[in-house]
């Protein structure tokens, strides 16, 4: 099988308000050529999902939220529902980001609920996993990833995997300037694909896109994207700069 369609995603985290966010979105859209082999996704803060979607209407950019609740509506203070994301022009959501896990205490079980909830409304779900430096140094990276994947994908049926993208983001590489080497990233992506084959079947494992995240920059994107099991990138810091992200989405 040839390589899967790449997905280049920018996670803006808690940055940008309407004016700078819309400008950034327009500049990123301008950097998109007539791609056939890749897709571009932006995840702005909830507050400007509508504005960014509106300004990019008709442009080939997928809009996603940085998290999502499993319920349609109700007493869930501080949350955003899948239909709110869709009404704001979004069609995707990120779940399980390490900042949600580490700073806000989100568990594998909670992330699984979010993942299944988003899928039930038809969102494209970017499901993040990743080990800490301590875990990697203790030789536990694969065991930690196995656990996160197994629990995060609990009760997700094989057909729904068409709407799931996994993002491998080693916690030690996020926002630190340290990138996993291309060999480390490839080895881990191949491991994750093996876990998917074990949970589902070869077909599902081969079709699921696995993104790498952790200090992806214009200077390292080409070598990362040349790896057979790396199908895209989830980018934080460099996604806030249109020139850098423009180069990243135009990886060679
Ligand atoms: C991220 O937040 O998902 C991320 C990978 O951040 P950075 O690119 O800044 O390391």
């Amino acid at each position: 099988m040839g390589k899967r369609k790449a997905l280049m995603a920018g996670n803006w985290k808690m940055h940008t308000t309407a004016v700078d966010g819309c400008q950034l979105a327009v500049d990123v859209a301008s950097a998109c050529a007539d791609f056939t082999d890749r897709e571009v996704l932006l995840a702005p803060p909830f507050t400007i999902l509508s504005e960014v979607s509106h300004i990019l209407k008709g442009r080939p950019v997928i809009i996603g939220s940085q998290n999502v609740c499993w319920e349609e509506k109700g007493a869930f203070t501080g949350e955003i529902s899948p239909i709110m994301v869709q009404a704001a022009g979004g069609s995707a959501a990120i779940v399980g980001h390490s900042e949600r896990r580490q700073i806000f205490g989100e568990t594998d079980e909670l992330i699984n609920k979010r993942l299944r909830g988003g899928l039930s409304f038809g969102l494209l779900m970017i499901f993040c996993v990743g080990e800490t430096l301590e875990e990697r140094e203790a030789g536990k990276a694969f065991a930690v990833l196995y656990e996160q994947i197994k629990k995060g994908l609990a009760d997700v049926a094989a057909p729904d995997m068409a709407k799931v993208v996994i993002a491998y983001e080693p916690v030690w590489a996020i926002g630190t300037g340290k990138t996993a080497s291309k060999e480390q990233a490839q080895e881990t992506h191949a491991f994750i694909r093996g876990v998917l084959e074990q949970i589902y079947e070869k077909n599902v494992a081969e079709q699921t896109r696995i993104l790498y995240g952790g200090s992806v920059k214009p200077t390292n994107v080409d070598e990362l994207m040349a790896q057979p099991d790396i199908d895209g990138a989830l980018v934080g810091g460099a996604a806030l700069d249109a020139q850098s992200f423009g180069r990243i989405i135009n990886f060679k």
Side-chain angles (χ1 to χ4, degrees):
M1 192 187 130
K3 247 205 162 191
R4 298 144 288 268
K5 191 177 255 199
L7 178 64
M8 309 307 282
N11 170 16
W12 292 0
K13 309 193 185 191
M14 200 170 71
H15 294 285
T16 69
T17 53
V19 175
D20 50 333
C22 285
Q23 186 60 52
L24 177 56
V26 167
D27 292 345
V28 168
S30 304
C32 294
D34 270 339
F35 297 135
T36 51
D37 63 341
R38 63 196 74 180
E39 295 177 318
V40 175
L41 182 150
L42 295 178
F46 299 153
T47 47
I48 61 165
L49 275 174
S50 282
E51 279 101 327
V52 170
S53 301
H54 186 71
I55 208 154
L56 293 188
K57 210 172 169 74
R59 313 289 284 269
V61 177
I62 301 166
I63 305 296
S65 62
Q66 296 174 18
N67 208 351
V68 75
C69 189
W70 50 92
E71 291 286 345
E72 186 176 332
K73 60 182 171 182
F76 297 93
T77 302
E79 290 287 328
I80 183 168
S81 84
I83 61 162
M84 290 172 177
V85 173
Q86 288 165 334
S91 57
I94 297 170
V95 292
H97 192 280
S98 67
E99 286 149 19
R100 298 303 316 173
R101 293 176 187 265
Q102 297 205 317
I103 305 171
F104 300 99
E106 294 201 9
T107 62
D108 291 318
E109 290 71 22
L110 185 77
I111 292 159
N112 172 255
K113 262 177 115 166
R114 293 189 185 281
L115 179 61
R116 286 187 291 118
L119 287 173
S120 73
F121 287 88
L123 293 178
L124 175 72
M125 300 300 294
I126 300 183
F127 164 44
C128 306
V129 294
E131 81 286 358
T132 63
L133 184 59
E134 210 179 18
E135 289 162 345
R136 179 156 282 263
E137 285 177 349
K140 293 184 185 153
F142 286 0
V144 167
L145 291 168
Y146 181 83
E147 192 83 355
Q148 289 177 350
I149 295 167
K150 191 96 182 134
K151 289 183 174 166
L153 292 178
D155 298 320
V156 174
D160 286 336
M161 286 301 290
K163 285 269 194 176
V164 176
V165 175
I166 309 237
Y168 167 57
E169 300 208 302
V171 178
W172 48 273
I174 297 180
T176 58
K178 282 188 200 149
T179 319
S181 68
K182 60 184 192 304
E183 293 82 8
Q184 263 173 334
Q186 166 56 28
E187 183 193 28
T188 312
H189 280 229
F191 168 77
I192 293 171
R193 209 174 293 290
V195 175
L196 294 177
E197 185 171 341
Q198 203 181 315
I199 300 175
Y200 298 100
E201 53 181 40
K202 202 171 173 59
N203 232 13
V204 171
E206 278 184 354
Q207 283 165 14
T208 303
R209 292 182 284 184
I210 307 175
L211 315 185
Y212 171 77
S215 300
V216 174
K217 300 181 278 271
T219 47
N220 60 21
V221 67
D222 296 339
E223 61 177 27
L224 287 164
M225 289 305 297
Q227 303 308 307
D229 286 296
I230 299 184
D231 305 312
L234 180 55
V235 186
L240 293 170
D241 179 77
Q243 211 178 342
S244 294
F245 194 59
R247 172 62 183 86
I248 288 170
I249 63 183
N250 283 284
F251 70 87
K252 298 186 169 73

